[in-house]
Amino acid sequence: MDFSWRVADMTGGARMADMTDPDHIWTEAAGRLRGEIGEGAFSSYIAPSAVRADGAGQLVLVTPTAYARDWVRKNALRRMNELWLGLDGLSRRLDVRCRAEMVSTPPASQVAAGRAEAAQVVSMPLATVPPVADGARAVRAAGLQERLNFDSFVEGQGNAFALAIARQAAQWADGHFNPIFFCGPYGYGKTHLLNAIAWEAQRLRPDAKVVYLTAERFLSTFVRAMQDRSTAAFKDSLRGADMLLIDDVQFVGGKASTQEELLATLTSLIEDGKRIVLSADRPPMALTEIEPRLRSHLASGLTCPVEPADRALKLAVARNRIQALANLGVVSGEARADVLEHLVDRTPGSMRELEGAVNTLAAVAGGRLSTLGVDEVQALLGSALRGGPERRITVDEIQKTVAEHFTLKQADLLSERRTRAVARPRQIAMWLCKQHTTRSYPDIGRRFGGRDHTTVLHGVRKIEELMALDDQIARDVEALTRKLRG
């Protein structure tokens, strides 16, 4: 499919051209629409779409998903046609359909130019071809979510550094670290950052080949390519990328041949100066199920933690989600502050769980959202929220559990003693605090006898390193984690 119509090309305003050419008409119309509906909605629903012509010559805005199609039809199609008809010398109208409804129809530019070539289909069978394609198709064919962009990412203390690095990567900045490796617990924004990088990088360099894959897709497609004896095509499809993004790398662990292929791909791209962005639930050297050479390559660039969200960030995410649902017409008004605080306190897990709670509230409340109090929300949602605040793991509990495990006193961990018998358990306790609480490095340091945040950072990194090298340390950490989780 020809995505010469993608909105990522439309930052410079319309060029002087024959206004019967859909290319130039869409450039102008989309630029005006962006200003009217706002950057957030435009980036989420219009920017990932493309103008094409169906078999009858009808011009159609093709959205990536049926959900995006329905949003455009409800919120933007009428205004879009007003803008289009004001510019089109042939007085044509736009329809809107999702990609699944437009398989194998030619792009509008081919109709306008009178060419009869058949367009390529974006989603190709994995059994016979690689999972990526050229240009903007690369990011769309691999399952990016249009709402996961920089505009919808909520910044907080735990993710500010990761967000800054992600923006730098998306801008193709010189002097970048390669690879960039985002790591952190499940559900706190790693996938969001990789999606945002892919969308923005493709927007800034429309001719570049930006490839986004989950590790599971990388694995399954590679296995299928071996079965079909098409590994050469698979390798070419990835090693020709200008930017390769792979999410949840930990899932290649234990798969020897897949790890070898991933290592070869990374080596080839790095040697060619291409960009690589990866993510996992742990830092590279803590991925003990991945073979050492690959771990070394994963750790050779910049390891960037995405830390668990504190309460302030979770509240900001909840407000942002309510606003997004209001823009879609799902709710009207704003939720009361105590209602959002109640949702956050009853959803102490990941950001995804919190968004699910907000979605549930929106679906139940609708236009009544702004009038609902905490008691009524609890009555309406019932079992959709957890029955009560989940028992949270505290710094004090971690210290006591670690001290008991290593036959120490809790006071030993807070003391100035630096013998290995005390220092190593202290570092393990600091690592567990960083993993299982929302405390910052300075706060953890204060709770370990007033230590500096750099001491905590050193301890956390030391344990991450030792977990990959020392089986006993890894077993201790695993056993302590099980105890803390009950």
Side-chain angles (χ1 to χ4, degrees):
M1 187 191 304
D2 182 356
F3 272 91
S4 60
W5 303 89
R6 59 187 179 277
V7 182
D9 296 335
M10 300 170 189
T11 58
R15 298 178 295 273
M16 296 299 294
D18 181 358
M19 294 312 289
T20 63
D21 183 349
D23 189 355
H24 303 292
I25 299 170
W26 180 236
T27 298
E28 178 69 17
R32 295 182 188 180
L33 190 63
R34 182 196 296 265
E36 293 183 12
I37 69 174
E39 185 63 37
F42 185 88
S43 297
S44 296
Y45 300 104
I46 308 298
S49 305
V51 173
R52 296 176 60 194
D54 64 14
Q58 166 73 46
L59 294 180
V60 180
L61 182 73
V62 183
T63 63
T65 65
Y67 183 80
R69 174 203 63 199
D70 294 342
W71 186 93
V72 170
R73 186 170 287 157
K74 178 180 178 181
N75 298 282
L77 184 59
R78 185 175 69 175
R79 180 54 180 158
M80 191 182 299
N81 267 303
E82 289 174 354
L83 293 169
W84 185 279
L85 290 170
L87 297 166
D88 186 6
L90 299 179
S91 299
R92 293 164 292 186
R93 296 185 65 87
L94 277 179
D95 191 8
V96 59
R97 301 175 203 166
C98 66
R99 181 177 296 147
E101 298 170 316
M102 292 290 291
V103 175
S104 296
T105 58
S109 56
Q110 290 184 0
V111 173
R115 297 192 301 269
E117 299 96 333
Q120 297 180 25
V121 178
V122 170
S123 182
M124 298 174 286
L126 295 181
T128 58
V129 297
V132 295
D134 291 333
R137 280 173 289 170
V139 295
R140 289 168 174 79
L144 287 178
Q145 301 177 57
E146 64 266 23
R147 75 181 186 90
L148 299 183
N149 51 56
F150 284 125
D151 287 336
S152 62
F153 191 88
V154 181
E155 182 177 356
Q157 182 177 352
N159 62 29
F161 176 63
L163 177 58
I165 294 299
R167 289 188 182 279
Q168 179 181 333
Q171 292 167 5
W172 304 90
D174 292 333
H176 67 287
F177 298 95
N178 206 24
I180 294 172
F181 194 101
F182 294 102
C183 59
Y186 171 83
Y188 284 97
K190 301 186 301 297
T191 295
H192 195 145
L193 287 175
L194 263 65
N195 273 251
I197 292 170
W199 288 122
E200 182 68 3
Q202 191 72 73
R203 185 186 72 81
L204 293 175
R205 287 183 53 183
D207 296 328
K209 187 174 184 179
V210 178
V211 179
Y212 169 91
L213 293 169
T214 64
E216 291 174 302
R217 185 179 175 92
F218 179 94
L219 171 62
S220 63
T221 308
F222 177 62
V223 170
R224 186 68 63 85
M226 288 194 298
Q227 293 172 344
D228 295 342
R229 300 180 181 178
S230 58
T231 55
F234 173 84
K235 294 176 181 180
D236 289 344
S237 70
L238 294 181
R239 297 179 193 181
D242 296 295
M243 178 182 288
L244 175 64
L245 305 99
I246 301 182
D247 202 5
D248 288 328
V249 172
Q250 71 270 11
F251 289 120
V252 303
K255 317 295 192 303
S257 59
T258 306
Q259 290 185 55
E260 289 178 9
E261 178 55 33
L262 178 57
L263 177 59
T265 297
L266 299 183
T267 301
S268 175
L269 290 174
I270 289 173
E271 288 177 351
D272 290 343
K274 304 302 176 64
R275 314 300 174 93
I276 301 170
V277 185
L278 308 155
S279 80
D281 60 355
R282 286 157 284 160
M285 298 312 292
L287 298 173
T288 54
E289 65 274 27
I290 289 179
E291 65 99 10
R293 285 188 309 149
L294 179 54
R295 284 206 309 266
S296 178
H297 272 71
L298 298 178
S300 64
L302 172 65
T303 298
C304 185
V306 181
E307 299 178 359
D310 57 19
R311 193 166 187 264
L313 178 55
K314 287 187 172 183
L315 285 169
V317 168
R319 292 190 192 97
N320 188 69
R321 185 59 183 158
I322 288 288
Q323 183 59 54
L325 292 170
N327 292 340
L328 294 173
V330 177
V331 296
S332 59
E334 298 181 358
R336 286 171 34 177
D338 57 342
V339 167
L340 291 183
E341 290 171 0
H342 179 72
L343 283 182
V344 167
D345 291 340
R346 292 298 181 94
T347 316
S350 72
M351 295 293 209
R352 288 178 181 150
E353 293 179 26
L354 176 59
E355 285 198 346
V358 174
N359 291 342
T360 303
L361 172 64
V364 172
R368 302 174 53 212
L369 178 64
S370 60
T371 67
L372 295 180
V374 170
D375 291 342
E376 191 172 4
V377 167
Q378 182 63 38
L380 285 172
L381 299 187
S383 60
L385 289 180
R386 297 179 181 182
E390 187 180 81
R391 184 187 68 82
R392 298 187 181 185
I393 299 173
T394 65
V395 173
D396 182 69
E397 182 183 0
I398 290 171
Q399 291 173 344
K400 289 178 179 177
T401 304
V402 171
E404 180 183 359
H405 182 83
F406 289 100
T407 320
L408 297 170
K409 296 178 180 178
Q410 186 177 358
D412 293 332
L413 301 179
L414 280 60
S415 71
E416 294 297 322
R417 293 176 59 189
R418 298 184 180 180
T419 60
R420 181 176 293 254
V422 174
R424 192 68 78 225
R426 181 186 295 129
Q427 290 174 332
I428 290 175
M430 290 175 175
W431 185 90
L432 289 167
C433 287
K434 200 65 195 134
Q435 292 295 311
H436 299 290
T437 77
T438 60
R439 301 294 180 183
S440 64
Y441 286 114
D443 196 9
I444 293 172
R446 286 191 291 271
R447 291 164 181 266
F448 278 81
R451 286 175 163 79
D452 186 81
H453 77 280
T454 57
T455 301
V456 181
L457 179 60
H458 170 76
V460 169
R461 289 179 174 173
K462 187 65 177 178
I463 295 306
E464 288 173 352
E465 175 186 340
L466 289 175
M467 285 171 62
L469 304 174
D470 189 323
D471 288 342
Q472 184 58 53
I473 292 288
R475 286 194 293 270
D476 285 332
V477 169
E478 182 179 356
L480 285 163
T481 299
R482 285 200 302 269
K483 289 181 182 178
L484 290 168
R485 290 177 174 172

